[in-house]
Amino acid sequence: MQEYIFIRVYIYTKVHIACKLSQICRLLGQPALPLLSAQKDINIGAIFSFHKSALLKIQPFTSKPKPTICGSFNSLRGFKYAQTLIFTIEEINNSTQLLPGVSLGYKIYDSCSSISQTVLSGMSLMNGYEETLSDTSCSRPPAIGMFMKITLFVIYSFFCFVFLQISHFATCACLSNRKRFPSFFRTIPSDYYQSRALAQLVKHFGWTWVGTVRSRGDYGNNGIAAFEETAKQEGICIEYSEAILSTDPKEQFLKTLEVIKKGTARVVLAFVAVGDFIPLLNVIAQHNITGIQWVGSESWITYRTFAETKEYSFLSGAVGFAIANAKLVGLREFLVNVHPDQEPKNELLKEFWETVFQCSFRSNRSGGCTGSEKLAELQNEYTDVSELRIVNKVYTAVYAIAHTLHNEYKSTETNYVSDFSSQVLEYMRDVRFTVKTGEEIFFDSSGDPAARYDLINWQPADDGSLQFKHVGFYDSSLSSEQCLQVIQEHMIWAGNSRQFPVSVCSESCPPGTRKAVQKGRPVCCYDCILCAEGEINNETGKIYWSNDGKDKCVLKVVEFLSYTEIMGRVLCIFSFFGMLLTAIVSFLFYLHKETPIVRANNSELSFLLLFSLSLCFLCSLTFIGRPTEWSCMLRHTAFGITFVLCISCVLGKTIVVLMAFRATLPGSNVMKWFGPLQQRLSVVSLSLIQMIICVLWLTISPPIPYMNLSYYREKIILECNLGSALGFWAVLGYTGLLSILCFILAFLARKLPDNFNEAKFITFSMLIFCAVWITFIPAYISSPGKFTVAVQIFAILASSFGLLFCIFAPKCYIILLKPEKNTKKQMMGKSSSKAL
């Protein structure tokens, strides 16, 4: 739909050419004169199409072109729009609330359905139509607007002028582009919203397989493009998309007909202009094609000529959105009171009268017009006020102009006649008002109003024609759940049937089968094959598995080591038992902290070792339970840091044993190089290295929860993905390196002469520690699912118990059962044992 309103935003200087000799400004070319006009304080200009296209002539460019000759009068609709404009202006002039003390006038031009004539009329509206420029020309009140039925070419023709443009008929979504059309507004919704509404309507009815036919122009191309975008999001597939134009040869329409006949889609969306649709409808009628559910755009879904044409009865059941209807009180009375006697010299009124009454004022015979005919007795497109969808947009557009001028006057106290402000564009952006019909009018940032549509269904009338039944609505200002409302029980479908039509590429798969998309075809087309074992469906965000009968989906089992299962409970018990033993040993050592066996070999390192062992037992608990982001990061880093702290303490104690025996040699001063301070620093520095490795690991690629679907087909393994495998093996490798170093040093010190040589027990503990973690690696790699976590927890607990028992059990034995040996003499006595 290509009809526009243009509102001027400042007083234009009239464009005339000054002659060199006479110094009088004269207008070159032919002026376009308004067909209807009334001069007032402020004049609203308009251009409508009243006649057929102007007759095209080839100009020789050797003489002044003759005036353009339009065809015969053929637009009752355009004349109705013009009279609605006049009706609205008179209603505003009679109002005491809007523009008090100011009268609006009008100048209405004819476009003759011609772009060139429209441009000429527009220029005349802007500049005036006098042949010469007089002293009073610039003091006359300007015309401030135009209503037009034109193409985008005309929009660009006026774009260089500063125009406030308001359209009651232009629906192209391209006009919402503020960079290209910064001063364009409209009172009719953009096709963008209509296309989205149509896609939601098709989805609502479950039609996932449709064909489309569009006008080959801005209206059809942009409308279908927006529909296809939304349809794809809604899971709707388009079988074919045909483009037509009224000027196409008949062969093109026959080709489109063949595509529709061969297609399997039973629903066809026709996003076409009325003129483009007529040739296709004629071809369909000739070939008696029925059974198609038509979905229409607003351009033709309420076009009464189609509904009254019996040859088009195959359109029965058509459904689509139309511009919301309205009732304008007093309009019909105004329309039927139009008479040529009101302006005896006005040729347009005479042509209108002759058209509606099929008579002539120029004939004296019985077929001539007398002027006594009454419009009120006629029922035609002009007098019918049951469908005022577009007429209402003319009405609201004029009111938008009036309210804009009114708001500007209130804000700036502008003199309407002499100071038509250039700020009117800003006032139009902020205008918001409610008309008598109850509709609230405002514009968004793109110059578009809220999209409100009536859902129309074509149903048979008693006289055999079709009538428009209101069966729902669409309102873009409501929430997504409420914007579309459909009364489906009142609807009639294709072929006057009450049976709901189905349009799908493939039927839903029965129980026990699944969809298999057909190669090279849209996703809506698929084959149904038997469900194989292990097939899953995650369309709703959950992962399912077929039951034994393959006729029902059940949730896949999610597996992880939890606290509620037996294995998790047993490991928890051992973990707490280890912590309890460590606490008992710590308490026992604290009670006997002054005895030689506790003080021997740095009691501070012994207590730090016990603390680190309690952390080792505790960190095993982080491996149990549902993996989360925090637990995944904590379990591996806590394990690495606590074990390095533990091994650092053991390594420190081993070095102390070696240094102590070195210090007994004559002249040796080695202990001053590894005293208590150096021992603390060694533990801190060795642990700090592991902390740095962990920080780098967590920063670069930390462990994260991961759903492993590949190991088991019937269940999901919820585990921690290591993130960086290098980080994990670096932590484990560093711990192993310290363990091997500690084992070697303890092994070298195992035969040093002493009644209580702690290096022997350290050697045993490290031997167990290394054995556990060496066997851990193949077991960890080969264990499936939650058993991988169980193996790691077992290794942590086994190595921790090994350190606790091998290092501290002998000391606890002496403290509790052999207190007589807990003396300095006994501790320093030589042992006769030579081997482990």
Side-chain angles (χ1 to χ4, degrees), residues 63-81:
S63 61
K64 182 178 179 179
K66 294 181 179 180
T68 301
I69 300 175
C70 295
S72 60
F73 182 91
N74 75 330
S75 180
L76 291 179
R77 183 172 65 169
F79 191 80
K80 187 176 184 178
Y81 293 162

Side-chain angles (χ1 to χ4, degrees), residues 486-722:
V486 180
I487 310 173
Q488 193 165 325
E489 57 269 20
H490 293 168
M491 297 185 69
I492 295 291
W493 305 105
N496 295 330
S497 173
R498 287 282 182 181
Q499 184 176 358
F500 179 76
V502 176
S503 185
V504 295
C505 184
S506 301
E507 295 291 340
S508 299
C509 291
T513 63
R514 67 170 180 84
K515 298 177 183 179
V517 178
Q518 297 174 358
K519 187 176 182 181
R521 303 200 67 189
V523 294
C524 301
C525 302
Y526 48 82
D527 296 319
C528 295
I529 62 176
L530 290 174
C531 291
E533 185 179 355
E535 295 292 341
I536 61 171
N537 179 351
N538 60 356
E539 292 179 359
T540 60
K542 295 181 179 180
I543 300 178
Y544 293 89
W545 179 261
S546 60
N547 63 354
D548 294 337
K550 299 177 183 176
D551 58 357
K552 184 180 179 181
C553 284
V554 294
L555 277 171
K556 262 194 171 187
V557 177
V558 179
E559 182 182 271
F560 58 89
L561 186 61
S562 68
Y563 292 101
T564 56
E565 59 183 292
I566 296 176
M567 186 188 300
R569 291 176 181 175
V570 170
L571 292 174
C572 283
I573 291 172
F574 275 103
S575 177
F576 285 118
F577 180 67
M579 290 177 62
L580 180 62
L581 283 181
T582 306
I584 292 173
V585 172
S586 299
F587 181 72
L588 184 63
F589 269 47
Y590 181 77
L591 293 178
H592 299 83
K593 60 183 178 181
E594 300 299 331
T595 60
I597 199 165
V598 175
R599 295 182 63 185
N601 199 358
N602 196 334
S603 60
E604 186 177 310
L605 284 181
S606 297
F607 282 108
L608 186 57
L609 177 57
L610 288 169
F611 172 72
S612 63
L613 281 174
S614 63
L615 293 180
C616 290
F617 286 117
L618 187 62
C619 81
S620 64
L621 298 176
T622 62
F623 289 82
I624 305 175
R626 189 182 189 91
T628 63
E629 289 187 13
W630 284 105
S631 67
C632 285
M633 291 189 290
L634 180 63
R635 62 173 59 172
H636 293 293
T637 53
F639 154 73
I641 293 172
T642 54
F643 264 86
V644 163
L645 177 62
C646 182
I647 300 301
S648 299
C649 294
V650 176
L651 182 61
K653 295 175 73 66
T654 305
I655 295 175
V656 167
V657 172
L658 287 173
M659 296 298 103
F661 282 101
R662 286 273 185 182
T664 59
L665 298 176
S668 176
N669 197 24
V670 71
M671 280 305 294
K672 73 175 183 178
W673 299 107
F674 202 73
L677 178 61
Q678 287 78 12
Q679 295 170 27
R680 297 190 196 102
L681 288 176
S682 66
V683 172
V684 172
S685 58
L686 292 174
S687 301
L688 185 61
I689 294 173
Q690 184 75 308
M691 291 181 185
I692 294 173
I693 295 174
C694 290
V695 169
L696 290 174
W697 182 15
L698 295 180
T699 303
I700 298 172
S701 182
I704 55 173
Y706 170 67
M707 293 170 51
N708 190 336
L709 304 174
S710 59
Y711 203 93
Y712 292 109
R713 302 183 67 187
E714 70 279 3
K715 58 185 176 182
I716 304 168
I717 304 299
L718 192 57
E719 59 189 13
C720 285
N721 187 306
L722 295 177

Side-chain angles (χ1 to χ4, degrees), residues 33-102:
L33 301 177
L35 301 188
L36 297 169
S37 64
Q39 198 83 353
K40 300 290 182 178
D41 297 332
I42 298 178
N43 300 306
I44 294 179
I47 303 177
F48 292 107
S49 175
F50 301 120
H51 296 87
K52 290 182 179 179
S53 298
L55 300 177
L56 297 177
K57 290 184 179 181
I58 299 176
Q59 302 294 342
F61 300 102
T62 58
S63 61
K64 182 178 179 179
K66 294 181 179 180
T68 301
I69 300 175
C70 295
S72 60
F73 182 91
N74 75 330
S75 180
L76 291 179
R77 183 172 65 169
F79 191 80
K80 187 176 184 178
Y81 293 162
Q83 293 303 319
T84 302
L85 169 67
I86 298 172
F87 165 78
T88 310
I89 289 176
E90 290 190 4
E91 188 176 88
I92 293 171
N93 288 339
N94 293 330
S95 171
T96 58
Q97 303 297 321
L98 192 60
L99 294 175
V102 176

Side-chain angles (χ1 to χ4, degrees), residues 702-767:
I704 55 173
Y706 170 67
M707 293 170 51
N708 190 336
L709 304 174
S710 59
Y711 203 93
Y712 292 109
R713 302 183 67 187
E714 70 279 3
K715 58 185 176 182
I716 304 168
I717 304 299
L718 192 57
E719 59 189 13
C720 285
N721 187 306
L722 295 177
S724 172
L726 179 63
F728 173 75
W729 291 111
V731 168
L732 206 61
Y734 181 68
T735 306
L737 179 65
L738 292 183
S739 303
I740 293 172
L741 178 61
C742 185
F743 173 74
I744 293 173
L745 294 178
F747 183 80
L748 294 175
R750 77 190 189 286
K751 292 186 178 181
L752 293 176
D754 197 348
N755 207 19
F756 188 85
N757 184 0
E758 195 173 16
K760 299 176 184 178
F761 308 111
I762 293 176
T763 303
F764 275 117
S765 66
M766 296 316 299
L767 185 62

